[in-house]
Amino acid sequence: AVVSTQSGHYGRGVRVIKLEESPGDIGWDVFTVDYDIDGPLAVIVNHDSRESYLCIFRMLWKAKRIEHSLGKVWGRAMMWRRTLPYLAEEIPPFRHLLNMICQRFQHFISQLQYYINFEVLECSWRALEEAVNTATDLDCIINAHKNFVNLVSERLMLDEQQKTLLASLYVVFKLIVEFISDFDRVSNWLKDQNLKREALSGGRRKPGNSNADENDGFATGLAKEVTTFNRYIENVDKVIRKFLDDVTKVSDDALGFLRLRIDFNEIYQTKLQPFSGTYITKTKSVVVGM
């Protein structure tokens, strides 16, 4: 994106910044961009504006990261039948559990992204264009740009008056990131279990034999993973409802429409039920509690 920008009509206006790293950080956590502006334009996009743009970009980057990662989660889970042939008979109920959680998160983040792109950025940019086109002097342009930055920051919940709302949103983000991390972990575990089954079955392209099912501990391990992911079933609607309740306390029409779009059919008022039942392999069953 930066290369495309620099090769277009924007010129040398964007530079990549690497933030200070903390243990466990990845590229998503330390990447940001800044405007490299000098000359007359710096009068309009001053230091305070650039600081606001950094905060705005970090917010947009967090949302984009989650949207991208959730898309990969769904795609990888759909590929399990082909990539995990020796577990194909055991994992469909577990995959269904993951898909229910992922769908809840994806609906939330897709509606948030729509709000950001159209209700915040596009509407604010159109207001800026109209103000600039009707400006009579430099002060009018400076004020128009300042109003643009303030409006975007306010509607992205980045101003001082909406700290509680932003904190609620970041709780949802944190839960999604934890879900993605647990999904990556369980995917690696399933891959290892599939390789173990392949070795025990002598390379036959079908689920492992009965001895493999009895001895490899897969059913017990899968039951533990179901318990882990049931935690997300219990928490996903709770944290999203908390965010929606906080939105109602803000007197902003755009945020009101965000709440309406996210819960237009009261999807988060219907609580998902954790899986409780029996996971059955070819030779043994394991009961999973609530």
Side-chain angles (χ1 to χ4, degrees), residues 154-170:
E154 178 184 344
R155 290 188 171 176
L156 289 180
M157 299 155 277
L158 299 174
D159 60 341
E160 289 294 323
Q161 290 73 32
Q162 301 190 68
K163 284 186 175 180
T164 301
L165 183 56
L166 183 64
S168 296
L169 178 61
Y170 281 170

Side-chain angles (χ1 to χ4, degrees), residues 199-255:
L200 291 174
S201 66
R204 289 181 287 115
R205 295 289 294 178
K206 59 182 180 179
N209 57 36
S210 60
N211 290 332
D213 287 335
E214 287 181 340
N215 299 326
D216 65 5
F218 176 72
T220 303
L222 187 61
K224 291 179 180 178
E225 295 298 342
V226 169
T227 301
T228 297
F229 283 93
N230 271 343
R231 177 175 66 90
Y232 294 102
I233 288 285
E234 296 165 358
N235 290 333
V236 54
D237 292 339
K238 184 196 313 183
V239 297
I240 292 178
R241 281 199 301 268
K242 174 63 167 60
F243 171 74
L244 296 177
D245 289 342
D246 288 341
V247 169
T248 61
K249 302 173 185 176
V250 179
S251 57
D252 184 281
D253 290 341
L255 284 168

Side-chain angles (χ1 to χ4, degrees), residues 11-253:
R12 300 183 301 276
V14 180
R15 62 190 178 96
V16 174
I17 299 176
K18 183 181 179 182
L19 302 175
E20 184 177 348
E21 296 183 41
S22 300
D25 281 349
I26 60 176
W28 286 100
D29 301 309
V30 298
F31 173 85
T32 189
V33 296
D34 187 21
Y35 289 112
D36 188 12
I37 296 173
D38 54 16
L41 191 57
V43 177
I44 302 173
V45 187
N46 56 29
H47 176 75
D48 290 340
S49 296
R50 288 172 59 185
E51 289 293 321
S52 297
Y53 278 126
L54 283 174
C55 294
I56 291 169
F57 180 81
R58 282 196 290 269
M59 170 65 172
L60 301 179
W61 191 241
K62 286 177 184 288
K64 180 55 67 175
R65 170 193 183 178
I66 289 172
E67 181 185 43
H68 174 77
S69 299
L70 282 175
K72 290 179 64 178
V73 164
W74 183 87
R76 290 168 62 187
M78 291 298 99
M79 295 290 288
W80 278 354
R81 186 169 186 84
R82 185 166 64 85
T83 59
L84 305 173
Y86 295 91
L87 307 177
E89 293 185 359
E90 286 95 336
I91 60 175
F94 180 59
R95 183 176 60 194
H96 177 66
L97 171 65
L98 296 181
N99 285 343
M100 287 195 302
I101 302 168
C102 193
Q103 187 275 335
R104 251 357 189 225
F105 284 139
Q106 282 182 319
H107 174 75
F108 176 84
I109 200 65
S110 65
Q111 298 305 320
L112 180 66
Q113 284 285 59
Y114 179 93
Y115 166 77
I116 290 172
N117 291 332
F118 297 101
E119 300 292 343
V120 178
L121 299 180
E122 184 170 317
C123 292
S124 301
W125 182 258
R126 180 174 299 178
L128 174 62
E129 284 186 321
E130 292 175 356
V132 169
N133 291 335
T134 58
T136 57
D137 53 36
L138 181 60
D139 287 339
C140 292
I141 297 177
I142 293 173
N143 289 332
H145 178 258
K146 183 178 180 180
N147 291 336
F148 165 76
V149 173
N150 290 340
L151 181 59
V152 172
S153 297
E154 178 184 344
R155 290 188 171 176
L156 289 180
M157 299 155 277
L158 299 174
D159 60 341
E160 289 294 323
Q161 290 73 32
Q162 301 190 68
K163 284 186 175 180
T164 301
L165 183 56
L166 183 64
S168 296
L169 178 61
Y170 281 170
V171 169
V172 180
F173 282 3
K174 182 175 183 291
L175 187 66
I176 297 175
V177 170
E178 289 175 358
F179 168 74
I180 294 169
S181 177
D182 276 336
F183 177 84
D184 289 338
R185 176 188 54 76
V186 79
S187 292
N188 291 332
W189 177 74
L190 288 172
K191 187 184 297 182
D192 291 341
Q193 293 296 313
N194 186 72
L195 291 174
K196 185 186 298 185
R197 285 279 183 89
E198 183 178 8
L200 291 174
S201 66
R204 289 181 287 115
R205 295 289 294 178
K206 59 182 180 179
N209 57 36
S210 60
N211 290 332
D213 287 335
E214 287 181 340
N215 299 326
D216 65 5
F218 176 72
T220 303
L222 187 61
K224 291 179 180 178
E225 295 298 342
V226 169
T227 301
T228 297
F229 283 93
N230 271 343
R231 177 175 66 90
Y232 294 102
I233 288 285
E234 296 165 358
N235 290 333
V236 54
D237 292 339
K238 184 196 313 183
V239 297
I240 292 178
R241 281 199 301 268
K242 174 63 167 60
F243 171 74
L244 296 177
D245 289 342
D246 288 341
V247 169
T248 61
K249 302 173 185 176
V250 179
S251 57
D252 184 281
D253 290 341

